[in-house]
Amino acid sequence: MDLTGKTAIVTGGGRGLGFAYASALAAAGAAVVVNDVDAGAAGRAVKEITAAGGRAVAEVAPVGTGETAQALVDRAVETFGRLDVMVANAGILRDRVLWKMSDEDFDDVVRVHLRGTFTCARAAAIRMREQGGGGRIITACSPAGQRGNFGQTNYAAAKAGIAAMTRTWALELARSGVTVNAVVPVAATGMTRTIPAFAPHIEALESRGEPLPDWLRKAEGFGTAEDVAGLVVFLASEAAAGVTGQCVGVGGDRLALWSHPQEVVTAYADGGWSAGAIAAAWPVSVGREPQSYGIPAPQAPGA
C-alpha cells in the first residue's frame, strides 16, 4: 500500500491505537499530523516516526471544538501542502452505570468522541472538496456502539452516533470522491486493560512480551494495536476507493463486516395496530425471536 504524496491527520495519535495508525500510515509513505492532548506523547510519537524514516509533526490540542479541527487541517496544509486522510480516533472513557453517571461524565465522552469526530470530519470534508481529488475519512467505532455495553451509556451512545454519521457522510461525500468508513477495533489498549478477562493477558504482553493466546486472537478477535493498523492503511489507500459507508471490525486474527440496522421481521394488520392487537401478535410474529443485545463476556477455553 503506497501512500507516498498523501497527508494524514490522526487524532489521539500519541499512544495506543492512534500511534499504531500514525506509524503505519507513515511507513506506507504518508506524511502525518499527530494530534494528542498530551504534548509528551505527541512528541514521542513524532520522534519515533521520524527516526524510522517517516514524516510527521505534532499538533497538541483537545479535539471537540471547531477551532481545534481547523487547526489540524491548517497544520496539515501548511506543512505538507494538502490533506488526504482524516483518522478521527481520539477518545476517553468515563464508565459508570446509568444511575451513577453524572452530566459531566456524559458530556465529556460525547464531546471528545461524537463532537470531536464531527468537527474533524467537517473540517476535513471542506478541505477535501476544495482541493479536489477525493479523500478518506476514517472514524472510530466500537462493539459497544453496535450492541451496547454495561456501564457505558455515554461511550456506547457516542460510538453508535459515529456509526450513523459515517453512513450519512458516505452518502453526502460520494460525489466528491471522499470515502467514509468506520473501524471497529478490539485491541490491547489502556481502554481494554480494565476488562478482567483481558487484563492478565495484556499485562503479560506488555511486561514480558508474551504473545496473546490463540483463543483471544481468534475466538474473541482480540489483538494488539498493530493488528488494527493494516485496516486503516487499506482504507486510506487507492485499493479501498470503492469502499464507503462501512463499519469494519478488526482485532487479532479476525476481520469482520458489521451489519447495518434494518428491519428483520414485519407484520401487517388492516386498519393499523391497536395495543391489544400488538399484544396478541407479538409472541407469534415480530416478537417471536427478539434481538440480542450487549457484548458477551470473553470466555477462555474450558472456562
Side-chain angles (χ1 to χ4, degrees):
M1 296 294 165
D2 186 4
L3 301 180
T4 302
K6 306 290 187 182
T7 301
I9 295 169
V10 180
T11 68
R15 56 170 61 88
L17 286 168
F19 175 63
Y21 301 160
S23 298
L25 290 165
V32 183
V33 175
V34 177
N35 159 256
D36 205 281
V37 70
D38 183 333
R44 287 189 295 273
V46 168
K47 185 176 180 179
E48 289 192 37
I49 290 170
T50 54
R55 294 187 298 158
V57 295
E59 185 69 21
V60 179
V63 300
T65 67
E67 290 77 14
T68 291
Q70 191 58 53
L72 293 175
V73 172
D74 289 346
R75 185 67 187 280
V77 175
E78 291 166 2
T79 307
F80 301 116
R82 58 184 296 109
L83 174 63
D84 304 282
V85 182
M86 169 63 79
V87 183
N89 165 76
I92 60 172
L93 289 180
R94 299 288 186 272
D95 290 356
R96 302 282 189 280
V97 291
L98 173 61
W99 53 94
K100 293 183 178 180
M101 184 171 290
S102 69
D103 291 356
E104 291 75 17
D105 292 332
F106 186 86
D107 291 344
D108 287 348
V109 169
V110 169
R111 182 184 68 254
V112 175
H113 287 277
L114 190 65
R115 196 167 191 270
T117 298
F118 161 67
T119 54
C120 287
R122 180 180 61 186
I126 291 170
R127 173 62 193 178
M128 289 171 182
R129 293 180 75 246
E130 287 176 348
Q131 73 185 13
R136 304 283 186 268
I137 295 175
I138 301 170
T139 64
C141 286
S142 166
Q146 305 290 327
R147 299 189 52 82
N149 196 32
F150 189 93
Q152 290 194 314
T153 292
N154 45 12
Y155 180 75
K159 291 304 189 182
I162 290 170
M165 292 193 304
T166 296
R167 293 188 282 267
T168 300
W169 298 337
L171 292 169
E172 295 177 345
L173 292 169
R175 291 184 63 182
S176 300
V178 178
T179 66
V180 190
N181 293 286
V183 174
V184 186
V186 183
T189 67
M191 288 189 177
T192 55
R193 191 178 290 109
T194 58
I195 301 173
F198 293 158
H201 302 291
I202 296 175
E203 169 65 21
L205 172 70
E206 294 179 343
S207 63
R208 299 187 296 276
E210 294 180 11
L212 295 170
D214 198 56
W215 71 269
L216 261 185
R217 292 187 60 84
K218 289 185 168 59
E220 298 297 331
F222 184 90
T224 66
E226 290 72 24
D227 289 323
V228 181
L231 174 59
V232 172
V233 174
F234 164 71
L235 292 174
S237 74
E238 291 304 312
V243 181
T244 194
Q246 304 303 302
C247 293
V248 187
V250 65
D253 298 330
R254 185 166 69 190
L255 179 69
L257 185 67
W258 282 87
S259 66
H260 294 177
Q262 60 183 356
E263 296 175 344
V264 294
V265 183
T266 58
Y268 300 90
D270 292 339
W273 289 93
S274 67
I278 294 171
W282 187 264
V284 295
S285 60
V286 294
R288 184 168 52 196
E289 296 183 11
Q291 299 292 291
S292 63
Y293 55 91
I295 303 172
Q299 292 291 331

